[in-house]
Amino acid sequence: IGKHVVYEKSVSSTQEIAHRLAREKVAEGTIVVADEQVGGKGRLGRAWFSPIGTGIWMSMILKPKIPPQRAPQLTLLAAVAVIRGIHAATGLHCDIKWPNDILLKGKKLVGILTEMQADPDQIHSVIIGIGINVNQKNFPDEIKEIATSLSLEKGEDVNRALVMQSIMAEFEQLYELFLKDGFLPIKQMWEAHATTIGRRITARTVSGAIEGFAKGITEDGVLLLEDDFGTIHKIYSADIDF
Ligand code: BTN
């Protein structure tokens, strides 16, 4: 992972470039990283604020030989790698909010966006986009209350290259473990870092809000929510409130 790094100053989105490179059949583990994204993409069609020189905006191209249904497991793997990498590089402890937000003291530090190119029975490539707020000192009004950066917590600037290297090292280890032993060990690490699990939450889905107790995740990363009548709901996509 990260043996080939494609570095760009300013791009629309590193996801778009990674998709193009993947179609052109670059090596697995190739990473696209940019100093600035002018069209950064978030989950659910949202925009991702990616100002110049302050964050890590990167997309990783993977070509795992696993069934397409298992691709979401790689998002969870990436979350664990990011948390461990940030801890190794800065000493800061972050936690995971299902499905893939990484929070520092309750505010969003990292977003992960996984996309794939696949046929029904075969993955061509999985593109994992990771956006990390590193040295921002302030955020636009719309996200000021909910976003944070590593430097805001540390009180000093943080070396972006170091954080990125340390995340890549963790990712590589976990990815090897995943290919060898499957998802279970990763799932356990993920659950240990996830504040969502084991507490009362509200899941706001497109078809309405469900309140209940977050029991855990399935093999596919689906959230299991038990409501007050004891019914277990499988949550595929939602925003979570505590
Ligand atoms: C989220 O909504 O939480 C996911 C945000 C993902 C942002 C990253 S930044 C690098 C990559 N390129 C993009 O356009 N998006 C992802």
Side-chain angles (χ1 to χ4, degrees):
I1 309 285
K3 283 199 189 67
H4 296 88
V5 177
V6 177
Y7 165 77
E8 305 270 356
K9 191 116 199 98
S10 178
V11 297
S12 172
S13 157
T14 56
Q15 290 294 95
E16 287 167 18
I17 298 182
H19 274 293
R20 200 188 67 221
L21 292 176
R23 278 192 299 270
E24 291 165 4
K25 309 217 178 329
V26 290
E28 171 164 61
T30 298
I31 291 174
V32 182
V33 44
D35 258 352
E36 171 188 51
Q37 297 186 117
V38 293
K41 296 197 289 175
R43 266 194 328 128
L44 309 174
R46 293 172 187 145
W48 181 258
F49 176 59
S50 325
I52 189 147
T54 56
I56 297 172
W57 321 127
M58 58 176 272
S59 300
M60 200 170 8
I61 301 167
L62 299 177
K63 306 190 169 189
K65 292 188 176 52
I66 56 172
Q69 310 83 264
R70 287 188 58 200
Q73 296 175 343
L74 291 166
T75 306
L76 307 184
L77 188 156
V80 175
V82 168
I83 291 212
R84 291 165 71 128
I86 287 176
H87 182 251
T90 67
L92 292 170
H93 287 282
C94 310
D95 40 52
I96 305 174
K97 183 177 170 193
W98 184 90
N100 56 8
D101 288 351
I102 293 178
L103 307 185
L104 183 54
K105 303 227 176 94
K107 291 183 167 186
K108 183 147 166 174
L109 180 76
V110 179
I112 302 175
L113 176 69
T114 302
E115 298 174 309
M116 84 174 152
Q117 303 176 2
D119 293 330
D121 59 343
Q122 194 197 357
I123 289 181
H124 300 303
S125 59
V126 178
I127 315 283
I128 303 187
I130 303 176
I132 307 175
N133 298 328
V134 182
N135 287 326
Q136 286 96 327
K137 304 289 180 299
N138 39 55
F139 288 93
D141 282 346
E142 317 86 78
I143 55 173
K144 207 157 68 193
E145 302 300 324
I146 52 167
T148 191
S149 69
L150 290 173
S151 78
L152 281 177
E153 287 306 323
K154 290 280 300 180
E156 61 189 21
D157 270 3
V158 171
N159 184 321
R160 283 185 297 155
L162 220 66
V163 173
M164 194 171 138
Q165 271 164 24
S166 129
I167 290 171
M168 286 307 104
E170 297 289 343
F171 193 97
E172 192 164 277
Q173 267 190 26
L174 293 173
Y175 189 54
E176 269 167 27
L177 180 71
F178 171 82
L179 295 177
K180 189 162 73 66
D181 294 346
F183 182 55
L184 192 63
I186 311 291
K187 176 175 179 286
Q188 285 164 347
M189 291 181 220
W190 187 93
E191 284 177 335
H193 288 297
T195 43
T196 319
I197 307 305
R199 58 197 279 194
R200 243 193 117 68
I201 61 167
T202 303
R204 286 184 286 114
T205 73
V206 281
S207 47
I210 311 172
E211 236 184 271
F213 179 76
K215 291 186 77 79
I217 53 167
T218 66
E219 285 281 295
D220 321 311
V222 175
L223 181 66
L224 298 172
L225 186 62
E226 182 173 6
D227 70 18
D228 295 342
F229 306 100
T231 306
I232 308 276
H233 299 261
K234 283 183 150 191
I235 310 289
Y236 290 87
S237 173
D239 281 319
I240 304 298
D241 293 324
F242 296 120

